[in-house]
Amino acid sequence: GAVVSQHPSWVICKSGTSVKIECRSLDFQATTMFWYRQFPKQSLMLMATSNEGSKATYEQGVEKDKFLINHASLTLSTLTVTSAHPEDSSFYICSAPRGEGYIQYFGAGTRLSVL
Amino acid sequence: QKEVEQNSGPLSVPEGAIASLNCTYSDRGSQSFFWYRQYSGKSPELIMSIYSNGDKEDGRFTAQLNKASQYVSLLIRDSQPSDSATYLCAVIGFLGSSYDKVIFGPGTSLSVIP
């Protein structure tokens, strides 16, 4: 079964609103989680590294004030897309590493459509 | 800049044939190597992990790693139409004493023709 849960799986919102996406590790603790964005027919793009109890580390070009990340517990990280616009429409995926090999387990993804 | 490259696709193979997917990476310090499969509209799922030089087999899948050549491959035997997907190569190194972030390749699209 799934080891990483991501919700919601699909969200439609109006331009200017904020959307929160949750990523949970189900039976293990994850001090680090990762957030990716994927546009159609393109590869995964790492947006940020979520660190439990500290600030997230954002990749170059990713606006930290627009994509707010909170990792308040060892099993939950949230990504909030603030003041969403149509260009933010994309497939957002989280992952959490587990085990000695640092295997990444992915959530099911969230498809965001901003009207 | 740490990079992972994959053979350009799309790759088409007939059903029952062997599909060969290749990946090269730039960081010699890389420690862990993974192959993920991603169906259209879905998130990636792990197929294989490999950490030491040589071959690792799991069912119809065989991963091969050559750290000296900075090369990792995935062979799919007896390819099935259900194997049609994009295959992502992923590599992790160390940053100090901790794991670094995962670097993904651009992916290779595989189409298995019935």
Side-chain angles (χ1 to χ4, degrees), chain A residues 34 36 38 42-44 46 49 59 91 93 99-109 111, chain B residues 32 34 36 38 40-46 49 51 88 92 99-102 104-107:
Chain A
F34 300 93
Y36 298 85
Q38 188 174 38
Q42 294 186 22
S43 189
L44 296 172
L46 178 66
T49 302
E59 295 300 301
F91 191 44
I93 314 173
E100 287 187 15
Y102 213 62
I103 295 174
Q104 298 297 315
Y105 290 92
F106 288 88
R111 190 160 303 282
Chain B
S32 304
F34 309 94
Y36 287 87
Q38 186 177 24
S40 180
K42 303 293 185 181
S43 67
E45 56 179 329
L46 181 70
S49 60
Y51 307 104
L88 301 170
I92 304 177
Y99 279 107
D100 200 354
K101 59 191 176 188
V102 183
F104 281 91

Side-chain angles (χ1 to χ4, degrees), chain A residues 73-86:
Chain A
S73 78
L74 287 171
T75 60
L76 174 64
S77 175
T78 61
L79 168 68
T80 301
V81 183
T82 63
S83 186
H85 291 284

Side-chain angles (χ1 to χ4, degrees), chain B residues 7-112:
Chain B
N7 49 327
S8 59
L11 176 66
S12 291
V13 299
E15 183 175 355
I18 296 175
S20 177
L21 304 166
N22 303 316
C23 171
T24 58
Y25 57 95
S26 63
D27 181 16
R28 279 199 172 276
S30 299
Q31 298 292 323
S32 304
F33 308 86
F34 309 94
W35 283 100
Y36 287 87
R37 176 175 62 196
Q38 186 177 24
Y39 292 112
S40 180
K42 303 293 185 181
S43 67
E45 56 179 329
L46 181 70
I47 293 185
M48 294 282 287
S49 60
I50 187 166
Y51 307 104
S52 56
N53 283 327
D55 295 358
K56 179 181 179 182
E57 186 175 319
D58 184 0
R60 295 186 295 112
F61 300 96
T62 299
Q64 299 174 318
L65 174 61
N66 184 325
K67 289 187 178 181
S69 300
Q70 295 174 238
Y71 172 89
V72 59
S73 67
L74 179 70
L75 298 177
I76 306 175
R77 291 182 299 281
D78 188 23
S79 296
Q80 301 297 308
S82 58
D83 295 327
S84 298
T86 296
Y87 289 80
L88 301 170
C89 174
V91 175
I92 304 177
F94 277 108
L95 189 64
S97 59
S98 303
Y99 279 107
D100 200 354
K101 59 191 176 188
V102 183
I103 307 296
F104 281 91
T108 299
S109 176
L110 171 66
S111 180
V112 180

